[in-house]
Amino acid sequence: MDANDQFTESINALKETGVRITPQRKAVLMYMIETEEHPTADDIFRALSSEYPNMSVATIYNNLKLFKETGLVKELTYGDASSRFDFITDTHYHIICSKCGKMTDFHYPGLEEVEQLAGSVTAYDVSHHRLEIYGVCPECRG
């Protein structure tokens, strides 16, 4: 599915929940769809503020919260104090640069078995897992 299809599908999902579609909301959503990064609200603000000078960081936080509640984005809390956001909500993992904090997606099948084993061994009702891998990205290795 290309970015335009994802955008249309996401807008329709928001409309179905009764959400008003504003130009700022569209801009934040399109930014999230198009970026390969895992931006913070401040990153999004810096990227969009020249085109939307009346948009505040609070507006971006509110939109990200709404997108999270409707399942369009995931909030990622890794290491630093700032939440990062990811438009890709299917199961995948992240490798994080320990120098610059850049986060890159990667997919790896088969970790569902680890959840099943953990549940069996501990009698927990396992709901999900999170895998963090750290290293130094190509840009920082220079």
Side-chain angles (χ1 to χ4, degrees), residues 7-36:
F7 180 76
T8 301
E9 191 174 288
S10 298
I11 291 293
N12 289 337
L14 289 169
K15 285 179 180 176
E16 285 174 17
T17 62
V19 171
R20 193 167 63 93
I21 308 302
T22 65
Q24 293 88 347
R25 189 161 286 149
K26 286 181 178 180
V28 173
L29 181 60
M30 186 53 93
Y31 182 85
M32 288 301 304
I33 290 169
E34 290 179 338
T35 188
E36 303 252 334

Side-chain angles (χ1 to χ4, degrees), residues 46-94:
R46 282 190 294 277
L48 298 178
S49 62
S50 62
E51 192 175 340
Y52 296 89
N54 294 330
M55 185 165 30
S56 67
V57 176
T59 300
I60 293 168
Y61 272 112
N62 291 336
N63 279 300
L64 290 170
K65 181 181 175 193
L66 175 71
F67 297 163
K68 180 183 166 190
E69 289 169 356
T70 56
L72 296 178
V73 301
K74 268 193 204 174
E75 184 174 8
L76 308 173
T77 53
Y78 292 103
D80 62 9
S82 299
S83 290
R84 295 180 174 275
F85 295 87
D86 194 350
F87 186 76
I88 301 172
T89 58
D90 64 341
T91 301
H92 66 282
Y93 306 101
H94 300 100

Side-chain angles (χ1 to χ4, degrees), residues 36 38 92-97 101-106 137-138:
E36 303 252 334
H38 300 80
H92 66 282
Y93 306 101
H94 300 100
I95 186 163
I96 304 156
C97 180
K102 177 181 177 181
M103 196 178 291
T104 303
D105 293 341
F106 75 97
C137 71

